[in-house]
């Protein structure tokens, strides 16, 4: 009887030790999982931070520009300074149109018509009259529409250019910082000459 009691006691002690070891092993696994999750979270945060840094770096080269929202399309014809600039270049408000829509819903910042001698013609939407002239689509490109650290248009803008050219437009890309009034590197007359060459040459 006493032997059985001792055996039972030893069995209970053994089982308790086994349970304690299992619990410790389980706890260690949980700790490893928690550590692993923390490391994953840390890596995610580091990647996010690196991407954010890269974006801010790409915008640093355009520090002289007054940044707006990411929806840069359409800003070119809503800026009073640019409207006045293009109106002066083309000879008056009757020679151009702001914010027009080409087929397939392509928005154009500034549109004008040029004759064979590269002179601006009075704007008209009549297809019968407009078809006799060269339709010019002027697109003002902001940083989000340019490739990183360059003046090359993004793939989206290049696709838009190809489609407009297929439809008969002459597409003129103008990087915003080239004509930005905050850019003191060039005078107003130099900006006007630059635009004149881009449009009429």
């Amino acid at each position: 009887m006493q032997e059985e009691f001792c055996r039972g006691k030893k069995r209970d002690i053994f089982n308790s030790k086994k349970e304690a070891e299992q619990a410790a092993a389980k706890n260690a696994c949980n700790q490893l999982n928690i550590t692993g999750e923390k490391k994953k979270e840390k890596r995610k945060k580091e990647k996010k931070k690196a991407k954010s840094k890269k974006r801010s770096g790409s915008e640093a080269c355009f520090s002289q520009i007054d940044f707006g929202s990411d929806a840069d399309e359409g800003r070119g014809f809503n800026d009073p300074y640019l409207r006045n600039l293009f109106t002066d270049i083309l000879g008056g408000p009757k020679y151009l149109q702001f914010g027009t829509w080409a087929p397939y819903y392509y928005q154009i910042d500034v549109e004008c018509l040029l004759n064979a001698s590269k002179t601006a013609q009075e704007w008209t939407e009549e297809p019968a009259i407009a078809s006799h002239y060269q339709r010019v689509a002027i697109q003002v490109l902001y940083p989000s529409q340019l490739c990183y650290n360059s003046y090359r248009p993004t793939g989206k803008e290049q696709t838009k250019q190809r489609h407009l050219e297929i439809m008969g437009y002459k597409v003129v890309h103008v990087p915003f910082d080239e004509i930005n009034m905050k850019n003191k590197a060039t005078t107003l007359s130099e900006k006007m000459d630059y635009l004149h060459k881009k449009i009429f040459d």
Side-chain angles (χ1 to χ4, degrees), residues 140-174:
V140 180
L141 299 181
Y142 289 83
S144 67
Q145 295 164 304
L146 296 169
C147 293
Y148 171 65
N149 207 21
S150 78
Y151 288 143
R152 191 176 64 185
T154 58
K156 180 186 174 185
E157 293 303 320
Q158 289 184 47
T159 301
K160 179 178 177 180
Q161 177 184 353
R162 284 195 290 272
H163 288 176
L164 287 172
E165 285 172 349
I166 289 167
M167 289 185 274
Y169 287 86
K170 174 192 173 183
V171 180
V172 176
H173 282 155
V174 181

Side-chain angles (χ1 to χ4, degrees), residues 2-18:
Q2 195 170 358
E3 280 182 34
E4 279 183 31
F5 176 76
C6 288
R7 280 200 206 103
K9 200 75 175 168
K10 283 179 182 177
R11 197 165 42 244
D12 290 343
I13 291 166
F14 176 77
N15 288 338
S16 297
K17 280 184 179 178
K18 196 173 180 181

Side-chain angles (χ1 to χ4, degrees), residues 74-123:
R75 281 179 66 189
F77 62 84
N78 286 320
D79 188 326
Y81 164 74
L82 294 183
R83 290 176 78 97
N84 291 334
L85 202 59
F86 285 115
T87 302
D88 291 344
I89 286 285
L90 291 161
K94 66 179 181 179
Y95 294 107
L96 73 166
Q97 192 73 14
F98 294 98
T100 60
W101 291 92
Y104 307 104
Y105 303 100
Y106 283 121
Q107 193 171 39
I108 298 169
D109 289 336
V110 187
E111 189 174 348
C112 64
L113 301 171
L114 300 182
N115 61 20
S117 59
K118 301 288 180 76
T119 307
Q121 296 298 302
E122 192 169 334
W123 170 258

Side-chain angles (χ1 to χ4, degrees), residues 12 25 50 53 55 61 74 96 105 116 139 144 168 175 186 189:
D12 290 343
K53 218 170 186 179
R55 278 198 299 270
C61 58
L96 73 166
Y105 303 100
Q139 296 295 129
S144 67
T186 54
S189 62

